[in-house]
Amino acid sequence: MSAELIEPVLWAIGMALLAAVLFTGIGLISGTDETATVAPIALLVILLGVPPAGVIAFFLAAVIAKHISHAVPTTLLGIPGDTTAVPMLREAQLLRALGVPHLALQKAISGGVVAVVIAIPLSIIFALILTPFAEAIEAVAPWIFAAAAVLVAYTSKGRLGAVVALIPFVLVIVGLQAFIMEQKETTFTTSFFLGIATGPLIFDLFASLSPAGRRAMRQEGKREFALAPDVRRPGGRLPNPLKVLDRTQLAYTSGSAAITSATFVFSPVAMAVLMGEIVGSRIKNGYRRLTTVATVRNGTTESTYLAETLIPLIAIGLPLSPVAAGPAAPLFNAPPVYTLDTETGVTNNLHDLLTTGQFALFAVIAAVIAIAIAYPFVMKNAHRAATWVMTSVSHEAIIAGFAALICVICLYEGGLLALGVTITVGLVGGLFNRMIGMHAGVQFMGYYVAVLTVPAILAL
Amino acid sequence: MPHLIEVWNDTVDSRHLTGGIAISVGIAVSSYLIADHLFAAVGNTELGHSYALLIGILGCILGAVITGFLFKPKRVITTSTADTRDRQEIIDEVVEEYGELGDPRELPEVVQEEVRALGLFEALVDNHESRRTDRPAGHESDREK
């Protein structure tokens, strides 16, 4: 190893370790959406001045670890760990009903590990195939973002409602940007991202302030959670992911990971659903279908996230995928550290700062560390960890921590005006999310339509 | 419990939530502002701004930990010791929701071993047999999906 590579590698190892520990923990907490947790914390890492090697390793390790430990609440409690855990919820609940939640957990996380191993090299290969077309793609980027926004909106729960709602949403952003430009002679990015990512939380906090909203949110008593009994045999060695899955499951998981490494423009949840359906329709035995679909669906959450981050980063430098525009958004655009000039299309982000070989190296480091931490931890301590989180970590503390995080990051970016922007975008975005079914991914695309497509339309 | 509301997908006490946010935001924002001011005063603006952010983040974590100690979770955890009902009844419920679970004897050897280790083998065989005698024709396709 050359001497100048030692420092970046040490950064990658250190940040991957930090991310793996932190996000194995966050994954255990049910309902912690990837965009709402990974994006702000990755942003923070960038703003604090961590070098590119550390940033990419941090992000990838965070996602890989979270998509392993998110299977704990999903299988043991029957509530989705995060957004991408929703598609495997049904299989997890049925296996839990059969009294074998530990099997669902083992299958799901082993599927995740296998998918990571497949997706990293394939994503890099697909990125290399796409690289020659990067300039052509960049030239028409404003129109691609507009088309992607409409497509992502139409495939969201909101359907046509979400498509039409893009118009007021984009106008709100355009209007805010114009006002910020007038006041500060610069534009904000972070506060818009934060508002979109934490929109549902901000909306709920507003609703809880109004008597009418509070009535609708009232709970009759404490919520009950039935934790599945700990049926795992005590002791024993750590199960090998290749042994937990049978040959068919291994083949289907690898196959769907390979396919979803190429389909990087589609939403991870949609791909997890689709892959599960395809695989499920090919398996006749019901029991085997349950375990295999759970395996494949969790595998897909890993492969989609890796491909949707690595391919746009390596090949294009523009956030042209639902993950790149959402949880991975700071890797593309986090002024003043990483910038994306909306007028000229000139980028200065991880795309320009790392070579493909470096991406590959740091991705492998992140994957090895995240798997080495999250997989054995979940295999050994799932039941104990789930019990501890449910009985000791209050939801008040999580919300309070995020509310404080929003305030501090906004003040850092642009004082009280930035805080106002986040609250505005969060309230509007959260409202659209809850009432129209326009999720954060659509809104991130809407943001890029506002900063890329709208100027292009005006220039016609 | 008149103050329990659902915020961001889980139950909180609205008074505890207000208190928690006040504590965390108070600690984090004041530590950030003080740090930013101090770094600016010693003339280290650009890097100082980043360090102030770091201190603000530590304030967030401290605030969340204090909130966690003050206010306990509003969840009731029941660890259901294995369902006491008849195994067949449970499997019937799953079949009702998902469709036939199939005959484990037709699975490859490794998968059969897995089902045996789970203690589900006999139960699944019994369930499959009882279904076959109940509905002799077309039992495999009519329960799909």
Side-chain angles (χ1 to χ4, degrees):
Chain A
M1 194 187 297
S2 59
E4 62 264 35
L5 209 55
I6 292 176
E7 200 191 320
V9 165
L10 289 178
W11 268 108
I13 293 172
M15 294 310 289
L17 274 172
L18 180 66
V21 172
L22 187 63
F23 280 89
T24 300
I26 292 178
L28 296 173
I29 304 165
S30 57
T32 45
D33 175 70
E34 293 88 346
T35 310
T37 54
V38 182
I41 298 175
L43 182 68
L44 196 67
V45 166
I46 295 166
L47 295 179
L48 288 173
V50 171
V55 171
I56 186 70
F58 182 89
F59 179 85
L60 295 176
V63 166
I64 294 169
K66 188 174 192 332
H67 284 176
I68 290 176
S69 66
H70 76 170
V72 174
T74 316
T75 56
L76 299 191
L77 289 156
I79 41 176
D82 48 35
T83 315
T84 54
V86 174
M88 65 162 161
L89 186 63
R90 180 157 176 256
E91 281 72 25
Q93 280 175 336
L94 292 169
L95 285 167
R96 183 164 163 263
L98 283 177
V100 292
H102 57 305
L103 181 86
L105 179 67
Q106 290 183 356
K107 294 276 184 192
I109 68 174
S110 301
V113 170
V114 169
V116 169
V117 174
I118 304 276
I120 287 180
L122 281 182
S123 305
I124 292 168
I125 291 171
F126 286 127
L128 289 175
I129 295 172
L130 209 62
T131 305
F133 307 102
E135 266 180 44
I137 295 171
E138 272 171 49
V140 292
W143 313 109
I144 294 181
F145 272 107
V150 171
L151 182 76
V152 177
Y154 189 72
T155 52
S156 76
K157 263 191 289 182
R159 297 280 165 190
L160 265 186
V163 176
V164 180
L166 274 171
I167 297 168
F169 190 78
V170 168
L171 286 178
V172 166
I173 291 171
V174 171
L176 285 171
Q177 290 282 25
F179 179 70
I180 297 163
M181 197 64 192
E182 198 182 293
Q183 296 298 311
K184 301 248 171 181
E185 290 180 358
T186 177
T187 53
F188 292 166
T189 305
T190 311
S191 39
F192 284 93
F193 284 175
L194 269 185
I196 294 172
T198 58
L201 169 63
I202 291 172
F203 174 76
D204 277 0
L205 290 178
F206 269 89
S208 75
L209 286 176
S210 104
R214 229 180 4 250
R215 261 198 303 280
M217 299 161 93
R218 171 155 304 156
Q219 297 280 300
E220 279 316 316
K222 294 184 178 183
R223 217 160 120 186
E224 283 196 32
F225 293 92
L227 188 65
D230 193 1
V231 275
R232 206 173 59 90
R233 281 158 296 166
R237 286 186 308 121
L238 191 65
N240 174 348
L242 298 176
K243 296 256 168 64
V244 173
L245 304 181
D246 62 56
R247 218 175 295 159
T248 318
Q249 288 167 338
L250 211 54
Y252 278 130
T253 309
S254 311
S256 52
I259 293 169
T260 51
S261 297
T263 57
F264 68 98
V265 289
F266 297 107
S267 115
V269 172
M271 289 316 291
V273 171
L274 184 67
M275 288 298 130
E277 290 299 319
I278 293 174
V279 168
S281 69
R282 300 174 66 95
I283 298 176
K284 203 167 138 255
N285 183 279
Y287 163 82
R288 207 174 189 206
R289 189 163 62 232
L290 270 179
T291 56
T292 310
V293 169
T295 311
V296 166
R297 288 209 162 129
N298 199 46
T300 314
T301 68
E302 295 280 19
S303 55
T304 47
Y305 262 67
L306 290 173
E308 299 201 5
T309 306
L310 287 173
I311 295 175
L313 263 184
I314 294 174
I316 312 165
L318 293 173
L320 272 170
S321 80
V323 174
L331 308 184
F332 294 84
N333 195 4
V337 187
Y338 300 152
T339 53
L340 197 164
D341 192 319
T342 53
E343 269 154 45
T344 57
V346 174
T347 59
N348 173 41
N349 55 33
L350 289 185
H351 171 68
D352 312 277
L353 299 170
L354 294 172
T355 64
T356 307
Q358 287 170 329
F359 271 114
L361 173 66
F362 302 137
V364 170
I365 290 175
V368 169
I369 290 175
I371 290 172
I373 288 178
Y375 183 82
F377 175 81
V378 169
M379 275 288 180
K380 288 202 165 137
N381 304 303
H383 200 267
R384 237 176 312 156
T387 312
W388 184 80
V389 167
M390 295 306 283
T391 54
S392 315
V393 181
S394 69
H395 200 51
E396 283 90 339
I398 296 167
I399 294 177
F402 268 96
L405 190 66
I406 294 169
C407 292
V408 170
I409 296 181
C410 284
L411 291 176
Y412 170 85
E413 186 182 37
L416 287 176
L417 180 56
L419 188 57
V421 166
T422 299
I423 294 173
T424 309
V425 173
L427 181 57
V428 174
L431 182 75
F432 283 14
N433 200 326
R434 286 274 152 89
M435 300 298 161
I436 307 179
M438 179 191 196
H439 60 73
V442 184
Q443 299 175 15
F444 278 114
M445 287 294 175
Y447 170 84
Y448 283 106
V449 170
V451 300
L452 288 173
T453 318
V454 171
I457 292 174
L458 294 178
L460 283 179
Chain B
M1 290 279 183
H3 297 283
L4 292 184
I5 55 171
E6 185 182 336
V7 177
W8 215 26
N9 311 324
D10 203 353
T11 308
V12 294
D13 184 317
S14 57
R15 294 163 309 170
H16 291 174
L17 182 62
T18 314
I21 291 177
I23 293 168
S24 297
V25 172
I27 293 175
V29 168
S30 48
S31 51
Y32 166 75
L33 289 176
I34 291 168
D36 201 32
H37 190 76
L38 288 181
F39 282 120
V42 294
N44 197 346
T45 37
E46 202 43 57
L47 197 63
H49 206 45
S50 297
Y51 279 127
L53 177 62
L54 185 62
I55 289 168
I57 299 312
L58 294 177
C60 293
I61 297 170
L62 180 66
V65 170
I66 293 173
T67 309
F69 274 112
L70 287 178
F71 309 122
K72 292 299 158 201
K74 279 77 192 166
R75 305 184 188 106
V76 180
I77 308 298
T78 48
T79 311
S80 47
T81 43
D83 216 325
T84 47
R85 287 174 304 156
D86 184 357
R87 195 120 212 206
Q88 290 304 323
E89 229 176 285
I90 299 167
I91 296 178
D92 280 340
E93 262 181 35
V94 171
V95 171
E96 189 68 35
E97 154 93 27
Y98 190 72
E100 253 272 42
L101 288 181
D103 187 348
R105 285 168 302 192
E106 72 192 19
L107 292 171
E109 198 52 45
V110 259
V111 187
Q112 285 198 27
E113 258 166 53
E114 173 187 296
V115 184
R116 280 209 183 83
L118 295 169
L120 276 175
F121 194 85
E122 298 304 324
L124 285 178
V125 170
D126 288 349
N127 196 276
H128 177 73
E129 290 296 331
S130 69
R131 255 159 228 291
R132 212 167 49 170
T133 45
D134 283 356
R135 287 175 295 119
H139 68 284
E140 252 157 16
S141 53
D142 63 359
R143 288 286 184 132
E144 292 277 311
K145 298 270 142 72

